Amino acid sequence: MCGIVGAIAQRPVADILVEGLRRLEYRGYDSAGLAVLSESGKLQRLRCLGKVATLAEALADAPMPGTLGIAHTRWATHGEPSQRNAHPHICRERCALVHNGIIENHENLRELQRDAGHRFTSETDTEVIIHAIHDALEARHQLTDAVRICTQLLHGAYALGVIDRAHPECLVAARLGSPLVIGLGFQEHFIASDVPALLPVTNRFIFLEDGDLAELSRTSVRIWNAAGEEVQRPVRTSTLSVDATERGAYRHFMQKEIFEQPRAVAETLEGRIGTDQVLSAAFGPEAEALFAQVQSVTLVACGTSYHAGLVAKYWIESLAKVHCQVEVASEYRYRQPIVLDQSLFVSISQSGETADTLAALRMATQNGYLGTLAICNVAESSLVRESQFQLLTRAGPEIGVASTKAFTTQLVALLLLALALGHQRGLSAEREAHAVQVLRALPTQLERTLAIDADIAELAQAFVEKGHTLFLGRGEQHAIAMEGALKLKEISYIHAEAYPAGELKHGPLALIDEDMPVVVVAPNNALLEKLKSNLEEVRARGGQLFVFADDQVALQQTEGVRVLRLPESDDLIDPLVFSLPMQLLAYHVAALKGTDVDQPRNLAKSVTVE
Ligand code: F6R
């Protein structure tokens, strides 16, 4: 949930570290810091409350020369955002540490260490780690051994970067449950929470596995696995360009990512649909045999990815005629779910590192599922590595904290899954061929839909001063309404709720008055007439309606009813098409309000803690 970077090089590392942090800021941004070992062997440290830009300014005023260093951008879990809780944490001016994750037994360790004479300067769970490493160093262990001894004391999750004054030739890293990569350069090596952080300095990476411990010098990298055996991990070359994570001419990353959706969707479809059918092999060589046995599907995810699952339930039931349940991962993992015979477990995640989703997957592997499938945007993520089957979305890096292109590409992947399951279970060839045709035209359809941007930018004015908004939809569009509400509250801080439109009269109708904007998702489908009656209920009580409707929907714009037209689309892909105006509405309202669109308060992109 935080971002870490480390470097050991022949050249000064402070600027490399800060640039790496800037590229990891999506992981957390309430405080930042770095520690660099000076030529004279002094541990220099700089920490700031606030964003990486503040740290960069402070560094410009007080440069930190040195060729070995570590850095951190934080999303607070234990201890408020403050300078004293910011990383790196140091012990007795000797060694320094950055940490991503949560140490569950920190209270016990803290008590023991306090009794042994350590003084604590923060409220973090992290500080116990550096004191434990310090004690092992003082007992004359080498730095790598000291970190190994320390990790044996820890319960929880961590990715660590550690330096020590007495080991100027060494940067030590370890991971368990939190991601960490090693970047390979020429006579310089790096660590980071994620690949984009290091793209300005290398495109060659080693992905550490859970339990790995690594020792980096300027000329070598050594890795030991959880059993303490020295191992070779494969070196992979990243095809991401340095500017894949740049904002370009857009005002915000979120805006750029909204407009990237036609291309991201096209790439997600590439090689996965044939002339008139979905290519099941896209899910892996054994997938066809697996899909033939599936009698039930469990979809598990968090947040926006969960909303993708809610849409997919409709597709899986109607196209594959298979029982489907959708679960929030943080709840599922603590239940004792009944697993039906021949069930497929599907996890959905942009990052593939979401702690609750990963825990649910790990539980599922013990629970007698027929197989596990990950739908994920990050090829090297834990979720992908730990699932038997994978379908990668190809959204490219998503930097804005509010998920947009990751969501629509998840929908595409889930629709492919529904069709592939349907193929095995009696979906007619005509229906499948029609779906493939519709999918092929989808990128163009999304491009045309984005033309509504200017209208929504103007419409956004009506929401800026509001404290609440209601979103309505029926059928799978209820999930899109939920996603619209999540986007709005997440980046504009306007309270928003979504309801299936038929539920209004069972309570929420009491909220309706002229101050409550009501956003409606109204495609031209079988539920339209029912939806219209629900809208009358709102109108009759003075509610202000903002209806996103298909071109073909007969709905008059009148006093209190604003209708925004989208190009006509096929029912099957309506959830994708109607997602775009939801994203654009949230974006423009937030941009008008001047909130931090890409890094909304209190949030982080990758939720690697429970
Ligand atoms: C909201 C958003 C989050 C994520 C959630 C799960 O815009 O992005 O709700 O969807 O934190 O993250 P992943 O998909 O990485 O598992």
Side-chain angles (χ1 to χ4, degrees), residues 573-590:
I573 53 158
D574 276 342
L576 282 127
V577 170
F578 282 80
S579 296
L580 305 192
M582 297 297 106
Q583 298 166 352
L584 285 168
L585 179 63
Y587 171 73
H588 284 297
V589 174

Side-chain angles (χ1 to χ4, degrees), residues 514-531:
E514 58 285 357
D515 270 340
M516 173 70 90
V518 180
V519 176
V520 186
V521 189
N524 190 16
N525 63 18
L527 288 169
L528 181 65
E529 290 311 315
K530 303 271 175 219
L531 181 68

Side-chain angles (χ1 to χ4, degrees), residues 302-305 349-351 354 401-403 410 486-487 490 607:
C302 300
T304 287
S305 300
S349 172
Q350 183 280 129
S351 61
T354 302
V401 163
S403 194
Q410 284 169 349
L486 176 61
K487 289 286 95 96
E490 187 177 11
V607 188

Side-chain angles (χ1 to χ4, degrees), residues 283-286 290 343-345 361 364-365 369-374 383-391:
F283 294 83
E286 324 269 299
L290 172 84
S343 271
L344 174 65
F345 180 90
L361 167 65
T365 57
Y369 279 95
L370 196 58
T372 56
L373 165 69
L383 201 73
V384 168
R385 282 187 282 109
E386 294 182 30
S387 298
Q388 291 165 295
F389 295 84
Q390 301 79 20
L391 189 68

Side-chain angles (χ1 to χ4, degrees), residues 245-497:
T245 53
E246 296 295 336
R247 190 157 39 84
Y250 289 94
R251 193 169 153 207
H252 296 100
F253 278 108
M254 181 182 179
Q255 187 186 28
K256 175 179 177 234
E257 287 155 7
I258 290 173
F259 281 89
E260 281 175 347
Q261 288 177 104
R263 189 175 53 79
V265 162
E267 285 183 15
T268 303
L269 286 169
E270 174 80 41
R272 288 162 173 178
I273 46 176
T275 321
D276 49 17
Q277 65 181 59
V278 170
L279 306 174
S280 302
F283 294 83
E286 324 269 299
E288 205 157 331
L290 172 84
F291 291 166
Q293 299 171 61
V294 171
Q295 301 290 343
S296 158
V297 177
T298 301
L299 301 168
V300 177
C302 300
T304 287
S305 300
Y306 168 70
H307 295 157
L310 291 177
V311 174
K313 177 180 168 70
Y314 286 84
W315 286 331
I316 290 172
E317 286 176 351
S318 67
L319 296 167
K321 309 277 181 237
V322 166
H323 167 266
C324 179
Q325 69 192 64
V326 194
E327 305 267 355
V328 169
S330 56
E331 289 296 319
Y332 179 83
R333 64 180 290 196
Y334 292 112
R335 291 217 333 264
Q336 287 161 23
I338 309 297
V339 179
L340 300 180
D341 281 349
Q342 311 289 88
S343 271
L344 174 65
F345 180 90
V346 182
S347 57
I348 314 163
S349 172
Q350 183 280 129
S351 61
E353 301 293 347
T354 302
D356 286 318
T357 311
L358 260 176
L361 167 65
R362 288 172 186 157
M363 185 171 121
T365 57
Q366 312 296 317
N367 273 4
Y369 279 95
L370 196 58
T372 56
L373 165 69
I375 290 184
C376 188
N377 198 37
V378 181
E380 301 297 343
S381 62
S382 308
L383 201 73
V384 168
R385 282 187 282 109
E386 294 182 30
S387 298
Q388 291 165 295
F389 295 84
Q390 301 79 20
L391 189 68
L392 291 175
T393 51
R394 298 180 189 135
E398 193 179 63
I399 308 295
V401 163
S403 194
T404 52
K405 61 178 181 169
F407 175 65
T408 40
T409 53
Q410 284 169 349
L411 289 178
V412 169
L414 287 159
L415 182 48
L416 292 175
L417 173 65
L419 290 165
L421 287 169
H423 185 82
Q424 301 290 329
R425 303 180 49 85
L427 177 69
S428 74
E430 297 75 51
R431 231 174 136 199
E432 186 173 356
H434 171 74
V436 167
Q437 219 179 356
V438 169
L439 276 173
R440 197 166 284 119
L442 178 59
T444 313
Q445 180 78 23
L446 296 181
E447 199 77 67
R448 289 170 57 213
T449 306
L450 286 169
I452 199 173
D453 182 50
D455 291 344
I456 296 185
E458 184 256 308
L459 178 81
Q461 293 285 359
F463 291 78
V464 174
E465 301 297 329
K466 301 292 182 190
H468 310 270
T469 299
L470 208 57
F471 285 74
L472 301 179
R474 293 196 71 134
E476 63 271 45
Q477 298 297 346
H478 172 226
I480 300 306
M482 289 170 79
E483 177 58 9
L486 176 61
K487 289 286 95 96
L488 188 70
K489 61 188 144 193
E490 187 177 11
I491 60 170
S492 76
Y493 316 147
I494 293 175
H495 169 238
E497 293 296 331

Side-chain angles (χ1 to χ4, degrees), residues 62 101 128 152 178-179 182-183 209 266 287 296 338 351 408 439 451 522 551 593 600:
V128 295
Q152 285 158 1
S178 299
I182 295 177
E209 295 190 6
S296 158
I338 309 297
S351 61
T408 40
L439 276 173
D551 247 352
K593 286 190 77 170

